[in-house]
Amino acid sequence: MYTVKCLNPIASKGLDLFTEDFKVIDDLDKADAVLVRSAAMHDLAVPESLLAVARAGAGVNNIPLDEYAKKGIVAFNTPGANANGVKELVVAGLLLASRDIIGGYNWVKENASEENLAKLVEKQKKQYAGNELKGKSIGVIGLGAIGVLVANICNRLGMKVYGYDPYVSVRSAWSLSRMVKHIASIDELFETCDYITIHVPYMDSTKGMINKDAISLMKDGVVILNFARDVLVNQEDIVDALVSEKVRSYVTDFPTKEIVGVRGAIVIPHLGASTEESEDNCAKMAVAEVMDYLQNGNITHSVNYPDCDMGVKGSGARITILHRNIPNMLGQFTALLAGEGMNISLMANKSKKEYAYTMIDVESEVSGQIAKALEAVEGVLKVRVIV
């Protein structure tokens, strides 16, 4: 029986996927795995026995990834599960910025009691009319699950779409419309586009990537959309750009004290992935990842360890080893098993920066002594035997 602790409410459509071999519990100290959405885990004491943490969402800023990697705790996320919900809100953001729908709505509401409202509307409406999206250029920074969907829908809206992602995956490349122009220089994107939308993860290299230097390269009156992370945009610089009208509108899903109330800022209360469908999809993916890892040792969509998959575990034992990515680890593992006369039927090894993961299927029983011998190898972080 495997035990799972939910740190936040997790959609029932995900939890219902757990089989009778899994039990959702309240006691974190007895949990094999944790499901989390927004709860902060950096200062949370977790048991040494914890094997996995799955974030029902894409962002993992609330999880201490490296600390968990050192403890042999695999952290998962659910990339793409909320992509459609975010894509649709980006489209809404484009329309809110191009047509002054909010201004017009507020004007109608304020003048609802006017007897000649219909005549007043005809005089006032041009103030809120705005521009059409068709024929305008948009730059999509980041062509992952969300960025590809945004690029493709903008193409269908008749926009000229420029995509920037130096690390675009083969899967994303195949999914991207051939009408999207993939450019190698982000500066060219800044200089070319009427609209710019950001869809990259938060990393040291992306923090504050939209700053005064980047904005200085952009067209006057550019519209910037940020449905990824607030820290990707330097808050002081975007406020200055809005005040000077260098940036006509900044649409963001992340309210901050600096941006709320600034003229030209359209601030949405973090609704991108909050649809019922997105929450269901994230929960289902997170549960599937945890089940597969605990039962079969397979890692899919980990953010601190490499993905590695050997399929459903067979009738024999499966040994899984989380370890440092250093030379001769495999040689030491196989030598230990050979010394005990154990035959390896299948093996896989993957690495990701300083960490690595090895899976070994054997045809005989794995004793506690063998497991301890593997754990004693320098650089090994956690050994698990799945029977």
Side-chain angles (χ1 to χ4, degrees):
M1 175 71 71
Y2 295 107
T3 55
V4 180
K5 165 68 175 176
C6 299
L7 294 183
N8 296 107
I10 302 297
S12 60
K13 286 191 177 179
L15 298 181
D16 290 345
L17 297 178
F18 280 128
T19 66
E20 59 185 12
D21 295 324
F22 292 81
K23 182 179 181 181
V24 178
I25 63 172
D26 292 328
D27 190 352
L28 175 61
D29 289 335
K30 297 180 180 179
D32 296 311
V34 162
L35 295 178
V36 62
R37 290 176 60 200
S38 59
M41 301 189 69
H42 287 275
D43 297 323
L44 185 66
V46 297
E48 291 185 9
S49 58
L50 188 67
L51 301 173
V53 173
R55 160 83 163 92
V60 289
N61 295 352
N62 57 324
I63 302 172
L65 300 179
D66 193 55
E67 177 187 335
Y68 283 5
K70 293 173 183 176
K71 294 180 178 179
I73 301 171
V74 179
F76 299 87
N77 69 346
T78 56
N82 57 14
N84 188 70
V86 177
K87 175 205 75 177
E88 291 185 359
L89 197 61
V90 171
V91 173
L94 282 169
L95 293 170
L96 290 173
S98 61
R99 312 287 296 272
D100 189 7
I101 298 169
I102 295 174
Y105 171 84
N106 288 335
W107 181 87
V108 171
K109 190 174 181 180
E110 291 166 3
N111 293 274
S113 61
E114 292 287 340
E115 290 185 9
N116 296 321
L117 182 59
K119 289 184 178 180
L120 287 174
V121 163
E122 293 306 312
K123 293 180 179 179
Q124 191 74 16
K125 67 180 183 181
K126 284 192 177 295
Q127 184 176 335
Y128 309 108
N131 303 103
E132 297 181 16
L133 294 173
K134 185 177 181 180
K136 304 300 187 300
S137 57
I138 184 168
V140 182
I141 302 174
L143 296 171
I146 296 171
V148 165
L149 292 181
V150 169
N152 288 346
I153 195 66
C154 288
N155 174 64
R156 295 189 186 100
L157 289 170
M159 302 185 79
K160 293 178 285 187
V161 186
Y162 298 83
Y164 172 79
D165 191 334
Y167 308 108
V168 63
S169 69
V170 173
R171 180 177 180 179
S172 291
W174 276 109
S175 302
L176 197 62
S177 168
R178 63 183 179 84
M179 300 299 292
V180 176
K181 183 179 179 182
H182 191 206
I183 58 177
S185 167
I186 195 169
D187 287 353
E188 180 184 350
L189 182 146
F190 291 151
E191 295 166 354
T192 302
C193 296
D194 304 307
Y195 296 80
I196 294 171
T197 180
I198 315 162
H199 301 285
V200 298
Y202 166 57
M203 300 181 291
D204 289 341
S205 59
T206 59
K207 182 179 180 181
M209 65 182 299
I210 303 298
N211 53 31
K212 61 182 180 181
D213 292 332
I215 293 170
S216 70
L217 299 175
M218 299 178 190
K219 291 182 175 181
D220 292 342
V222 67
V223 172
I224 301 173
L225 301 98
N226 180 11
F227 288 82
R229 285 290 179 271
D230 57 343
V231 293
L232 303 178
V233 176
N234 182 290
Q235 297 298 291
E236 292 182 0
D237 292 349
I238 193 65
V239 169
D240 290 343
L242 287 168
V243 171
S244 69
E245 299 187 2
K246 170 69 175 182
V247 173
R248 176 163 61 88
S249 185
Y250 175 56
V251 189
T252 179
D253 204 22
F254 308 99
T256 65
K257 58 180 175 50
E258 296 92 349
I259 201 65
V260 171
V262 176
R263 186 207 60 79
I266 300 173
V267 186
I268 301 167
H270 203 187
L271 300 180
S274 296
T275 65
E276 181 179 338
E277 294 86 351
S278 288
E279 292 185 5
D280 287 347
N281 290 338
C282 288
K284 288 188 284 188
M285 186 181 289
V287 167
E289 291 164 353
V290 165
M291 290 177 64
D292 195 22
Y293 179 62
L294 295 182
Q295 291 182 315
N296 300 304
N298 296 322
I299 297 179
T300 306
H301 298 142
S302 173
V303 285
N304 62 348
Y305 273 98
D307 285 3
C308 189
D309 191 334
M310 287 210 317
V312 177
K313 186 188 79 67
S315 57
R318 175 168 289 177
I319 304 170
T320 68
I321 310 170
L322 296 161
H323 56 93
R324 298 279 184 180
N325 184 23
I326 53 181
N328 197 35
M329 297 300 283
L330 289 181
Q332 295 181 78
F333 299 155
T334 56
L336 281 171
L337 297 179
E340 296 295 323
M342 302 178 70
N343 186 50
I344 297 173
S345 58
L346 187 64
M347 182 169 68
N349 171 265
K350 298 288 185 179
S351 62
K352 183 177 184 178
K353 296 182 180 179
E354 59 184 299
Y355 296 103
Y357 186 56
T358 299
M359 303 174 69
I360 304 172
D361 281 355
V362 294
E363 298 175 349
S364 54
E365 183 178 342
V366 180
S367 66
Q369 181 179 351
I370 291 295
K372 288 181 179 179
L374 290 168
E375 288 176 344
V377 174
E378 185 176 356
V380 169
L381 300 167
K382 184 168 287 187
V383 174
R384 189 160 64 102
V385 179
I386 308 173
V387 296

